[in-house]
Amino acid sequence: MATEAALEAVCSLAAESRLVDLLAPGWAGGGSILRSWDKSGHCPRAVPRQVWTQRGGSCVSPSPSPRRWGAAALMLLLPATTFHLLLVARSGPARLLGPPPYLPGLEALWSPRALLLWLTWLGLQAALYLLPARKVAEGQELKDRSRLRYPINGNPIYDFFLGRELNPRVCSFDFKYFCELRPGLIGWVLINLALMMQEAELRGSPSLAMWLVNGFQLLYVADALWHEEAVLTTMDFTHDGFGFMLAFGDLAWVPFTYSLQAQFLLYHPQPLGLPMASVICLINAVGYYIFRGANSQKNTFRKNPFDPRVADLETIPTATGRQLLVSGWWGMVRHPNYLGDLIMAVAWSLPCGVSHLLPYFYVLYFTLLLVHREARDEQLCLRKYGLAWREYCRRVPYRIVPYVY
């Protein structure tokens, strides 16, 4: 509250001026907030990354934000966590919260052959991305149509973590769009397949648990690639800058931590009978049905509200001219696609048994990620749709899990 009061005092100079609304990245945890800029050169009016003051006609921040140190810590913590998970998955105890039983020497961490394979992989994906024979999709209108013309004192650590540029490009090569799906997701599948082949070499054939994990996650990745155009409407693409968070997440975190279940099964084989496997398949099918149904309904409605598949759905009009779905999947909870995602996450971990917490790291992490993302989405929608969003929340009170959350 003190921050808002100070900000309002600073920006009172702009009270009588005409303001241009811009969407500026910078809310805690990578969110985005609306802030208004005075055309005559006054300071932003909202709650930005830090309290802004006016000095010599320019907007500057008085002191480093605590988020700077949080961003710096995450840039160290995320690679360390990835390294830790890979080590404990290979160990006998496989303790998620315990220290790894050994640390490899420096010679084991460097491989020119592995570096060459990684660069070749990225080069291959980049070449496929640039092929002229490909579908071109038009993205959603973004919020940063105007560039700031005021010299400001930035935050290099925080900006490096989140990224200043929304969609950095070289000619037609869009770095965010390229990294968002192809190298990481396809790499995830290839790592899973390599682990399954290694298990076949060690034990004669892949286990049923390994088959389930590979099959479930292959379906998920294939779905994402088949509906690749839908990524253009995601929060990552339309609001978050392309910095360390997305680059590391897409190229390292996804392929090496999302394959944790397959890594665990290679070193810790688990017995799995057909009855339990059938139950797990049913759980995954339910999750996928909710996930795909909700996303397809949303994307169809965005493209054409008069499509016969969505034309009969109940909606709430908004001041922006757009409609909010209040029936179908989106009348059950506000984020039914997240519900389907979480159900599938549980199904991916169940083949690993319940004797270790490590395979359930993805479930824990993904729950925190989706709850945080849902909170950011709620803030953005409230600012964008106002009273219409409040009415939607009144009519659909549950966020992700019906009658629970």
Side-chain angles (χ1 to χ4, degrees):
M1 295 301 114
T3 300
E4 296 182 17
L7 187 61
E8 288 297 325
V10 169
C11 296
S12 60
L13 294 173
E16 301 299 325
S17 302
R18 295 179 62 189
L19 300 174
V20 179
D21 284 339
L22 296 175
L23 189 66
W27 192 253
S32 304
I33 59 172
L34 285 172
R35 70 185 181 197
S36 300
W37 289 82
D38 186 348
K39 289 183 177 178
S40 62
H42 291 300
C43 295
R45 183 184 180 189
V47 186
R49 279 191 291 264
Q50 51 261 341
V51 181
W52 297 79
T53 58
Q54 191 170 29
R55 187 182 302 161
S58 301
C59 296
V60 298
S61 56
S63 61
S65 165
R67 287 190 293 275
R68 169 185 295 184
W69 310 117
L74 282 174
M75 284 189 282
L76 297 175
L77 181 62
L78 290 176
T81 300
T82 304
F83 189 55
H84 170 78
L85 292 172
L86 295 176
L87 286 179
V88 297
R90 299 165 179 260
S91 68
R95 290 191 296 265
L96 174 61
L97 302 180
Y102 73 96
L103 291 177
L106 292 179
E107 66 280 358
L109 299 178
W110 167 249
S111 169
R113 182 170 177 268
L115 177 61
L116 179 62
L117 286 173
W118 182 74
L119 292 176
T120 303
W121 170 248
L122 285 185
L124 173 63
Q125 291 298 318
L128 294 174
Y129 175 84
L130 292 172
L131 283 177
R134 65 185 190 272
K135 181 180 179 181
V136 177
E138 182 179 354
Q140 299 291 300
E141 182 177 332
L142 303 176
K143 300 294 184 180
D144 66 339
R145 288 172 294 176
S146 300
R147 290 183 177 271
L148 303 181
R149 297 182 180 179
Y150 307 102
I152 61 172
N153 177 25
N155 185 328
I157 298 177
Y158 193 67
D159 291 343
F160 176 77
F161 180 73
L162 286 182
R164 281 299 254 176
E165 289 290 334
L166 187 65
N167 295 96
R169 283 188 166 209
V170 174
C171 297
S172 63
F173 190 91
D174 190 303
F175 287 92
K176 182 195 285 188
Y177 184 73
F178 167 71
C179 292
E180 189 75 17
L181 290 179
R182 304 183 187 194
L185 288 187
I186 300 175
W188 171 20
V189 170
L190 291 180
I191 290 174
N192 276 353
L193 291 175
L195 292 167
M196 185 168 69
M197 293 176 63
Q198 189 174 357
E199 185 184 49
E201 292 179 0
L202 291 174
R203 304 185 179 98
S205 64
S207 64
L208 179 56
M210 181 69 82
W211 276 112
L212 289 187
V213 168
N214 269 259
F216 293 162
Q217 296 180 352
L218 176 61
L219 172 65
Y220 187 81
V221 171
D223 178 271
L225 296 176
W226 183 262
H227 299 93
E228 187 176 17
E229 183 179 341
V231 75
L232 299 175
T233 65
T234 62
M235 184 180 294
D236 286 352
F237 205 83
T238 59
H239 294 102
D240 292 342
F242 184 69
F244 176 87
M245 180 180 71
L246 283 182
F248 178 82
D250 293 336
L251 301 177
W253 183 265
V254 168
F256 291 105
T257 64
Y258 285 23
S259 60
L260 192 61
Q261 289 92 351
Q263 296 179 53
F264 175 84
L265 289 173
L266 176 63
Y267 297 99
H268 307 275
Q270 300 292 316
L272 182 64
L274 285 177
M276 186 60 188
S278 301
V279 172
I280 295 174
C281 287
L282 178 61
I283 294 173
N284 189 77
V286 170
Y288 181 75
Y289 178 73
I290 297 173
F291 171 81
R292 176 43 41 214
N295 280 322
S296 295
Q297 192 175 78
K298 174 185 66 176
N299 293 332
T300 300
F301 185 79
R302 281 179 172 176
K303 290 180 179 179
N304 181 15
F306 302 103
D307 188 293
R309 292 170 291 179
V310 296
D312 295 332
L313 295 178
E314 188 178 357
T315 61
I316 297 176
T318 70
T320 66
R322 303 183 66 177
Q323 304 284 323
L324 296 177
L325 283 174
V326 74
S327 61
W329 288 111
W330 301 88
M332 181 177 66
V333 290
R334 295 179 218 165
H335 301 274
N337 51 338
Y338 293 177
L339 174 62
D341 245 330
L342 290 175
I343 294 174
M344 285 189 290
V346 173
W348 299 353
S349 301
L350 286 175
C352 301
V354 294
S355 60
H356 291 79
L357 181 61
L358 180 64
Y360 292 86
F361 170 81
Y362 177 79
V363 179
L364 300 174
Y365 151 76
F366 210 54
T367 300
L368 293 176
L369 174 70
L370 293 183
V371 168
H372 176 262
R373 179 168 292 183
E374 174 272 328
R376 290 174 55 199
D377 192 48
E378 293 277 327
Q379 293 174 356
L380 288 172
C381 289
L382 180 59
R383 294 188 184 100
K384 185 175 182 179
Y385 300 119
L387 294 178
W389 183 255
R390 294 186 185 276
E391 173 63 16
Y392 175 68
C393 293
R394 185 189 68 81
R395 297 180 62 174
V396 186
Y398 298 104
R399 298 169 182 248
I400 299 177
V401 182
Y403 306 102
V404 177
Y405 176 74

